[in-house]
Amino acid sequence: MSTHTDVIIGLEIHCQLNTRTKLFCGCSTDYKTDGPNTHVCPVCLGLPGALPMINNKAVEYGLRVAKALNLEVPEESEFARKNYFYPDLPKGYQITMYDRPLAVWGHLDIEGEEGEKRVRITRIHLEEDPGKLVHKGGAGRAAYTLVDYNRSGIPLIEIVTEPDLRSPKEARRFLNKLRATLEYLGVFDGERDGALRVDANISIKGSERVEVKNITSYKGVEKALTFEITRQKSLIRRGMAVQRETRHFQEGRGVTTAGRSKESETDYRYFPEPDLRPLRVTDWLEQIPLPELPDARRDRFMAEFGISLNHARTLTGDLRLAEFYEALAAKVDPVLAATWTADILLGELNYRDMPVTAVPLDHVADLVTIAGAGTVTDRVAVDVLRALLDAVVSGETPTMPSEYVAKHNLGKGEADAFSAVIDEVIAENEAAVADYRAGKRPALNFLVGQVMKKTRGRADPKEITPLIAARIDTGEGT
């Protein structure tokens, strides 16, 4: 039986750069709300006689990424033509970089399966995106297919790793860290549809390598790799050979299916792009400042706010979340703010598929303040947060939490005020009382839960638990 040390994973990640215009022409990249084929010109359509002109901002963004990922920038890099036929590639070739990429040999450190881990990055290069096929009625069932060239020429950066990853979880962590780094650099917007696409190369030690193409979500990468590891190990256990091939991931079914046989590099007949001069951009590097990156911000949060490593990692793993937390920490106790943001708010946002940028900061600050002051119990505070987020999702104007608590009489009550409720719960739950007397601790938790339910969370479980236990131990209320 293979272990995770037998799994070998390398990634090729295509990221859309946040430029205003395409890589080789002046067409706008902001086309999402416009009709198909409305942002095209002779260059991105590949018409005869059209000459590409390099977008300096795309090169600058590529160099910014190279610097952040510790890559070396060669004296000279060069674009090439990658020749292949496909309906969304009207030129019959893609302009990319081949044997002379923009930058080589860097690394990104992640939290691996066995602690801090360095993942080597082989190269990064610039290339243009092809167009997009639209299968009316769905792939496989469409009566016809349309081609939209709005995406043709969108600038991409391809980041290629060494096969240093050993599990789907490590691959997911690498992608999360990479996305955060690119967003901190201001060159990438992970919220854009199709902004990140991954080709994953995976093999079991001693067997052939399989490439899973065009995975478009972070969860999809983890699922595709998990399926492929299981499939390949199953073949090996049955004495069958793993074929070297390209496969596609069907996210809805969670499976990979065979595609075409893998082309070799010679099939693409690469040759230098004759219409673009080689790039000599090493002099630019000194002029490109780097912002504070995720690891540096994590360390600063720990030193400045006194929060734990786990909280700091979570909060800095997403630029928008980090900015939200830092603004919240300026208004309330930073440690309490970290607990609320990382442990509670983030889960509620994920449940609603809601961005943190939609959360009203002053409302959360008010909630954290009254929770920290003990004005409400933790349970009520969470319920108030849920009501707040639900109001935002519904498009309503949310009530300030302190006002909401007062309006619905949800303030925390003194434990002694709940004596009657405690007696009522003990009387109504004889079986649980008997279980507790028999030494079953969960029965006491059940009774506490019943009191919480009757008081709508206004009773503090830490305060009423000993009262319930004392009532039963002394025979009061039974």
Side-chain angles (χ1 to χ4, degrees):
M1 181 72 178
S2 301
T3 65
H4 74 276
T5 57
D6 299 315
V7 175
I8 301 169
I9 298 171
L11 301 177
E12 299 172 13
I13 305 122
H14 294 83
C15 305
Q16 180 176 332
L17 295 174
N18 255 348
T19 57
R20 295 174 59 189
T21 56
K22 295 184 180 180
L23 185 54
F24 299 122
C25 66
C27 289
S28 171
T29 56
D30 185 15
Y31 60 83
K32 293 297 181 187
T33 59
D34 297 331
N37 296 311
T38 52
H39 291 251
V40 293
C41 73
V43 172
C44 48
L45 285 176
L47 297 182
L51 294 177
M53 184 177 291
I54 188 71
N55 182 335
N56 284 354
K57 184 59 76 175
V59 178
E60 179 192 327
Y61 282 2
L63 292 174
R64 201 180 293 181
V65 176
K67 201 169 179 178
L69 300 182
N70 312 289
L71 285 105
E72 302 168 18
V73 177
E75 280 294 323
E76 195 170 278
S77 54
E78 186 176 53
F79 285 99
R81 291 186 178 181
K82 181 182 181 182
N83 295 278
Y84 64 100
F85 172 76
Y86 213 65
D88 61 3
L89 193 66
K91 294 195 292 281
Y93 61 86
Q94 178 189 28
I95 302 179
T96 181
M97 288 176 160
Y98 177 48
D99 54 350
R100 303 177 75 188
L102 185 68
V104 296
W105 300 121
H107 62 264
L108 182 66
D109 295 332
I110 65 167
E111 185 190 357
E113 295 280 11
E114 298 170 354
E116 195 82 3
K117 175 170 186 165
R118 176 154 294 182
V119 179
R120 293 170 295 165
I121 296 172
T122 314
R123 58 184 278 161
I124 65 173
H125 64 257
L126 294 166
E127 65 182 25
E128 62 176 346
D129 213 353
K132 180 181 179 183
L133 298 181
V134 181
H135 306 283
K136 284 294 181 183
R141 298 191 300 274
Y144 57 93
T145 297
L146 303 173
V147 189
D148 181 2
Y149 292 113
N150 277 350
R151 202 175 72 181
S152 178
I154 292 290
L156 303 177
I157 187 169
E158 181 170 351
I159 300 167
V160 182
T161 77
E162 288 290 290
D164 289 342
L165 298 162
R166 293 291 174 267
S167 72
K169 186 177 288 184
E170 278 193 353
R172 174 81 181 269
R173 287 176 180 167
F174 176 83
L175 289 173
N176 287 341
K177 182 73 172 288
L178 179 65
R179 169 183 168 155
T181 302
L182 297 180
E183 290 190 330
Y184 274 63
L185 291 171
V187 304
F188 173 76
D189 180 1
E191 301 295 322
R192 279 189 177 183
D193 184 33
L196 181 141
R197 282 164 272 159
V198 178
D199 299 341
N201 290 289
I202 179 168
S203 63
I204 307 300
K205 197 171 183 180
S207 294
E208 283 287 358
R209 186 182 71 202
V210 169
E211 183 180 31
V212 183
K213 296 283 288 183
N214 275 329
I215 313 170
T216 57
S217 74
Y218 303 89
K219 287 181 182 175
V221 171
E222 192 170 1
K223 287 179 181 175
L225 290 172
T226 301
F227 176 85
E228 196 54 30
I229 290 169
T230 303
R231 187 187 72 85
Q232 293 185 24
K233 285 183 175 180
S234 176
L235 289 173
I236 294 168
R237 271 198 303 273
R238 288 182 285 160
M240 300 171 69
V242 176
Q243 300 296 323
R244 181 164 183 163
E245 63 180 338
T246 298
R247 296 180 71 85
H248 300 292
F249 179 56
Q250 297 189 16
E251 190 147 8
R253 295 170 56 202
V255 302
T256 66
T257 54
R260 54 185 162 78
S261 298
K262 176 72 174 169
E263 290 98 341
S264 65
E265 291 186 344
T266 54
D267 293 328
Y268 291 121
R269 296 176 291 115
Y270 285 99
F271 63 84
E273 166 59 60
D275 293 334
L276 289 168
R277 299 173 63 183
L279 291 176
R280 290 180 165 231
V281 290
T282 51
D283 290 348
W284 292 17
L285 282 173
E286 289 185 7
Q287 303 166 25
I288 298 176
L290 290 182
E292 182 182 47
L293 294 175
D295 286 351
R297 199 164 200 177
R298 176 199 64 198
D299 294 343
R300 180 170 64 81
F301 276 9
M302 292 171 64
E304 189 172 332
F305 299 127
I307 64 176
S308 69
L309 174 60
N310 283 340
H311 278 164
R313 274 186 179 144
T314 301
L315 294 169
T316 55
D318 179 274
L319 176 62
R320 297 168 185 84
L321 188 67
E323 290 177 343
F324 179 89
Y325 166 71
E326 189 152 13
L328 183 63
K331 293 175 175 285
V332 299
D333 173 49
V335 175
L336 199 55
T339 300
W340 270 89
T341 307
D343 295 345
I344 303 169
L345 176 63
L346 191 55
E348 296 294 331
L349 293 177
N350 289 337
Y351 174 72
R352 292 166 179 78
D353 195 22
M354 180 179 174
V356 71
T357 49
V359 179
L361 179 70
D362 287 343
H363 287 64
V364 177
D366 182 49
L367 178 62
V368 174
T369 299
I370 59 177
T375 307
V376 294
T377 63
D378 290 343
R379 174 177 160 175
V380 166
V382 172
D383 287 344
V384 173
L385 176 66
R386 289 171 177 165
L388 165 65
L389 298 179
D390 287 343
V392 174
V393 170
S394 303
E396 302 169 9
T397 302
T399 306
M400 195 60 81
S402 53
E403 296 172 10
Y404 185 94
V405 168
K407 179 179 178 182
H408 296 278
N409 189 27
L410 294 174
K412 180 178 157 186
E414 295 295 329
D416 291 343
F418 302 119
S419 294
V421 178
I422 292 173
D423 290 343
E424 194 176 303
V425 166
I426 290 174
E428 292 174 353
N429 296 279
E430 294 180 1
V433 172
D435 284 345
Y436 170 68
R437 283 177 169 154
K440 297 179 181 177
R441 179 72 188 183
L444 183 60
N445 296 334
F446 170 79
L447 295 169
V448 172
Q450 295 304 301
V451 174
M452 296 287 290
K453 187 175 179 182
K454 283 179 178 288
T455 60
R456 295 184 298 143
R458 295 179 60 234
D460 188 333
K462 292 192 290 291
E463 295 177 2
I464 61 170
T465 298
L467 292 180
I468 297 173
R471 281 282 213 288
I472 298 174
D473 291 342
T474 59
E476 295 180 43
T478 59

